[in-house]
Amino acid sequence: SIAHAADRALVIEEELDHALQNDEFELYYQPEVSADGKRLLGVEALIRWQHSKRGLLGPDEFIPIAEGLHLIQPIGQWVLDNALAQVPGWRQIGWKDARVSVNLSSNQFRAPGFTDAVLRSLARLGLTGDCLELEVTERMLMGDDAAMLASLSALRQAGITLAIDDFGTGFSSLSRLRTLPIEKLKIDQSFILELPNSLSSVAIVNSILELAQGLSLTAVAEGVETKEQRQCLESLGCRAMQGFLFAHPMPAAAF
Ligand code: G
Ligand code: MN
């Protein structure tokens, strides 16, 4: 019920405050792979909250609340620092072009000083931008905010890959895709879920793949769960995939 949901949000709000100090967050890692599943192309860091009473919570259950509380900046910084901290180890064991992808939330991305904070995090670990991908949503790219555009180009300049997450569900103006320094589209899993039987989903995925190709962007299919989906995507020319068929998100050690 709505009342129950509101109660729950209130409790989570109080507990979130302590979660960072108590070290209750953990990053899970989900690989992005080539269409045949044989090559590791990247990895996405996904935050989880190991809650003492409620078990493992996904980002949807607490990130929106954290945004409202201005806790999103310290949490976002924690995610970035912890994800990047994995990279040297991965490189050391032979994944030479290791790259980790981090999801940004709206208030985090818009906060003054965000770009500098990212560059400082890289520098602290002696890393360059090529080991980092930042995922934003279409909604976060709306508007002509000069500061946002400057931030995007500074990140791009530093060699960081910029990806649009959940692509196809927002309100992208196609002409802006050309002008923004975006390199990658992550096709929303709601379309992948309906492959191969839904003709409309096939049409949408096909259009996104063609759009990506025409604009020289990379396209990744998210939420690939079945062989049929994989096969359909491959036949449409999709080269990069992520989803339960290949691997679930997992703790760093398992990854
Ligand atoms: O918004 P974003 O695309 O970053 O969210 C990714 C979420 O999708 C993660 O919480 C992850 O656990 C989940 N996920 C990853 N792969 C699959 C999949 O194959 N199927 C489903 N249903 N969810 C997935
Ligand atoms: Mn994502």
Side-chain angles (χ1 to χ4, degrees), residues 186-202:
K186 299 193 75 172
I187 307 171
D188 189 65
Q189 55 187 48
S190 61
F191 305 118
I192 311 304
L193 182 71
E194 297 181 335
L195 299 181
N197 294 325
S198 158
L199 291 182
S200 62
S201 285
V202 171

Side-chain angles (χ1 to χ4, degrees), residues 237-253:
C238 183
R239 306 213 179 287
M241 305 186 191
Q242 198 179 323
F244 296 167
L245 177 67
F246 305 101
H248 283 251
M250 61 192 113

Side-chain angles (χ1 to χ4, degrees), residues 30 44 46 48 103 165-166 189 222-225 243-244 249:
Q30 186 180 40
E44 179 172 3
L46 296 156
R48 299 289 184 262
N103 295 281
D165 206 4
D166 308 328
Q189 55 187 48
E222 296 190 290
V224 182
E225 294 184 355
F244 296 167

Side-chain angles (χ1 to χ4, degrees), residues 132-200:
L132 180 63
E133 177 174 302
L134 295 174
E135 299 187 11
V136 297
T137 60
E138 291 168 273
R139 190 179 294 276
M140 287 159 62
L141 297 176
M142 276 166 55
D144 262 323
D145 180 356
M148 189 244 318
L149 298 176
S151 178
L152 288 175
S153 41
L155 295 166
R156 180 72 209 104
Q157 206 84 51
I160 296 165
T161 303
L162 298 169
I164 303 184
D165 206 4
D166 308 328
F167 188 79
T169 59
F171 308 92
S172 276
S173 137
L174 297 184
S175 70
R176 292 203 74 210
L177 275 183
R178 255 191 327 198
T179 55
L180 294 173
I182 295 292
E183 283 177 279
K184 183 167 175 178
L185 306 178
K186 299 193 75 172
I187 307 171
D188 189 65
Q189 55 187 48
S190 61
F191 305 118
I192 311 304
L193 182 71
E194 297 181 335
L195 299 181
N197 294 325
S198 158
L199 291 182
S200 62

